[in-house]
Amino acid sequence: MSTHIVWFRRDLRLADNPALYAALEEADAVLPVYIHAPEQEADWPPGAASRWWLHHSLNALHAALEQRGSGLIVRAGDPLTVLQELIAASGATAVHWGRCYEAAAIARDRSVKAALREAGISVRSHASNLMAEPWTLATGNGDPYRVYSPFARRFHAFVQPSEPLPAPARVPLPEAATRMALGSAAIDALELLPRIRWDEGLAEAWSPGEAGAQARLQHFVHSGAGRYDTGREAPGTDGTSRLSPHLHFGELSPRQAWAASEAVKDQSTQSGVEHFQRELIWREFAYHLIYHYPHTVDTPLNPRFADFPWRSPSDYAEDLRAFQRGQTGIPIVDAGMRQLWHTGWMHNRVRMIVGSFLTKNLLIPWQEGARWFWDTLVDADLASNTLGWQWAAGSGADAAPYFRIFNPILQSQKFDADGAYVREWVPEIAALPNKPLHAPWEASASVLREAGIRLGEHYPEPRVDLKASRQRALDAYEKVKG
């Protein structure tokens, strides 16, 4: 009786899982394994919000496997050592996994693959989490892309996402699995949940796991995809897909998201669906970049920005703390940072606003924002996080020119005109009329008094003058623009 191991990593699902599909095709029994080894993530071990999500996602995967006569083997430790132990215990002759694309993961996988093959074990990696492998698309000169638009055109010309694979009806376990640690007790032993329970907001907002991913996908394609081109810009409405954490953990594959959106595309929904699919291609672009330019996780892609005159940590420490806590005195910025802390997620339009505010108005290095997002986002994804923050700072691929500095007041007035988003997350100023809500420091004394608000007591004064800080950023840019 032949046994193959499937090493689950960033593909915590049963449907459209090429590694699992191949193992089931080739072997009589399959040993599903998850190995927790955060120390092998180099400088980017999972943050607190990611660990919360991972705990629940692993439990969901184990439950789905149980329904198919199987279960998830959960171990912690060095992946090669754990795999060697499981091979010895189960008699497995092959190991399958879905590819990861970060530099540390690539180095680990190459080492594991070489050692297992030397021992006579078959090893196969599979394309599970992207529609186009990073090395398959290149410019006419054979170089990696650094600008999204030509990358997207190349994707459309050469990539035809195939139909997603169905979930298996059964996943037969080898007899040896009965002697191994399966399921929830082993997952609890990883101690992924916070000891001080700050995660109630996350539990209210999300349903981790493959079933939750499919429910969210179906809700989006049938109620939001058709108007995604317009609805996605308003943070006070449910106009985005909110699929990013499901995609990051691989509870949903990009092929599944693409196919589901394609299925509802008609004349009335075409524009919205195509905008959503462009976001899926943007995710592919992020992985293309991190694969070809791995140093950009903490170093600017544009080398000129290596000498950018950021403020010093001792100078910006208090501003950074106020930013992280949603106490900058700029309502749209504070709303976004509070949404992030409470739900582990932030609307994409607001991510751009807070990114511009941190790097340009506060003149704080983008790496500080990237680190905070990494710890607090349930969809903390190294490729997307890096691309987003370097875009905001003007130092990365496809970056907005540095002189394009978002005015948070105008952004708030345009995209949250009725103030629904700001009122939800900054309730201490909710009584203000719409116009002064976006910039309460500009409100008259009588308006503030009528609303029962004293700035500096009920809500902070702005940390910076927006006009003066904008000019400071432009002056700093002059020193590196070349």
Side-chain angles (χ1 to χ4, degrees), residues 16 46 75 105 117 167 199 238 246 262 292 315 319 322 342 364 387 399:
D16 200 35
R75 297 286 183 88
R117 283 179 172 171
D199 55 327
D238 185 22
H246 299 294
E262 193 70 20
H292 290 289
D315 183 39
D319 284 342
H342 187 73
I364 294 176
L387 176 57

Side-chain angles (χ1 to χ4, degrees), residues 214-239:
Q214 284 298 323
R216 182 64 205 177
L217 175 63
Q218 293 306 313
H219 169 77
F220 171 67
V221 297
H222 292 294
S223 65
R227 50 183 174 82
Y228 181 77
D229 50 336
T230 55
R232 68 192 179 101
E233 294 287 10
T237 64
D238 185 22

Side-chain angles (χ1 to χ4, degrees), residues 307-318:
D307 298 321
F308 188 82
W310 302 108
R311 295 164 64 197
S312 67
S314 60
D315 183 39
Y316 65 64
E318 289 187 11

Side-chain angles (χ1 to χ4, degrees), residues 28 39 80 124 161 186 211 401:
D28 299 310
E39 67 280 358
L80 176 58
R124 289 179 56 193

